[in-house]
Amino acid sequence: MTLDEQTKKTLGVGLFIAIFIIVGFGYFHLQILQDHYKRNENQKKTLNEEIKKLRENLKEIEEAERDRPRIEEMRKIVEEASQRLPSSPDAPGFYQELIRILRLTGVQPRRVDPVQTRNAVLYTEIPYKITATCRYHEFGQFLNLIEENQRRFMRVKSFSISNNDNRPSIHPATIDISTFMFNKIIKTP
């Protein structure tokens, strides 16, 4: 089968148009759609990162939900501790508790002097210097009752105990005790 001139020209023009369309489509794809693909790919990455963060947040929320009983228990512990820490200096409360402990242990106080308070962000430390006489066993009980007090939060900061040559079983002692109070936190709008 031979092709005449007209058919050859038509076939050549058709082939040229087909090649032009293919090249045009390739150019369109490379130049115009490529930018569209890149934007979609970047958007896909951003969305995947957001999804990952949201899944992490969901996991934290689920863990917190599982820990709800433990958190509630911790809240109760903090509430109990806050009852042991007044929101005012409450010197009478400290003195009443100190007198109770002194009577229980038999430690004989000579002086109880307040010392300069020290402020921190959440609490204020209220120190006292106690001069007393006692036996070693009484002194140990006294320290234990101060440190393990269930009614008021108190800490023994330092102590010194010496010997009395006139009465070897009775010892002069100096004890630095601190009690604490909550500072009110003022919330600013």
Side-chain angles (χ1 to χ4, degrees):
M1 172 170 147
T2 61
L3 298 174
D4 63 1
E5 271 315 299
Q6 183 64 26
T7 307
K8 284 183 183 180
K9 283 183 183 181
T10 305
L11 190 59
V13 170
L15 189 59
F16 176 74
I17 291 173
I19 290 173
F20 183 74
I21 289 174
I22 290 172
V23 169
F25 180 74
Y27 176 78
F28 177 76
H29 177 70
L30 289 175
Q31 296 300 324
I32 297 172
L33 290 180
Q34 194 68 22
D35 291 338
H36 180 70
Y37 290 147
K38 284 180 183 178
R39 279 194 308 266
N40 283 346
E41 198 62 36
N42 289 338
Q43 195 173 24
K44 181 180 173 183
K45 285 181 185 179
T46 304
L47 291 174
N48 282 335
E49 289 173 7
E50 286 181 26
I51 289 171
K52 184 178 176 182
K53 287 178 185 177
L54 289 173
R55 284 184 178 153
E56 289 172 0
N57 290 345
L58 179 62
K59 185 178 177 183
E60 289 175 9
I61 291 169
E62 288 171 347
E63 287 175 6
E65 187 62 33
R66 281 193 305 268
D67 288 345
R68 185 178 292 269
R70 188 176 62 86
I71 292 170
E72 183 62 27
E73 184 178 318
M74 290 172 75
R75 186 192 63 75
K76 288 178 183 176
I77 290 170
V78 168
E79 190 175 291
E80 287 175 13
S82 69
Q83 291 174 356
R84 291 174 60 199
L85 288 172
S87 58
S88 67
D90 188 29
F94 169 75
Y95 287 125
Q96 288 171 356
E97 192 58 25
L98 181 63
I99 289 167
R100 186 185 74 78
I101 293 171
L102 290 168
R103 285 183 182 155
L104 280 173
T105 61
V107 173
Q108 298 298 315
R110 298 288 179 236
R111 287 184 64 106
V112 177
D113 296 314
V115 184
Q116 177 78 28
T117 61
R118 294 180 194 98
N119 292 323
V121 175
L122 296 175
Y123 66 92
T124 298
E125 179 181 355
I126 307 167
Y128 293 90
K129 181 177 282 299
I130 300 170
T131 307
T133 56
C134 55
R135 292 181 164 79
Y136 277 123
H137 182 71
E138 294 168 343
F139 184 70
Q141 286 179 326
F142 177 79
L143 294 179
N144 187 50
L145 288 175
I146 291 292
E147 287 284 328
E148 299 296 326
N149 195 299
Q150 296 297 315
R151 297 182 184 145
R152 181 145 184 128
F153 190 73
M154 296 186 277
R155 288 293 172 244
V156 175
K157 295 197 57 148
S158 66
F159 65 86
S160 66
I161 189 165
S162 57
N163 193 21
N164 182 352
D165 291 333
N166 295 333
R167 292 193 66 195
S169 64
I170 305 294
H171 305 284
T174 303
I175 308 115
D176 293 321
I177 296 175
S178 287
T179 186
F180 302 87
M181 74 172 197
F182 272 133
N183 292 338
K184 292 183 180 180
I185 299 173
I186 300 172
K187 295 182 181 179
T188 55

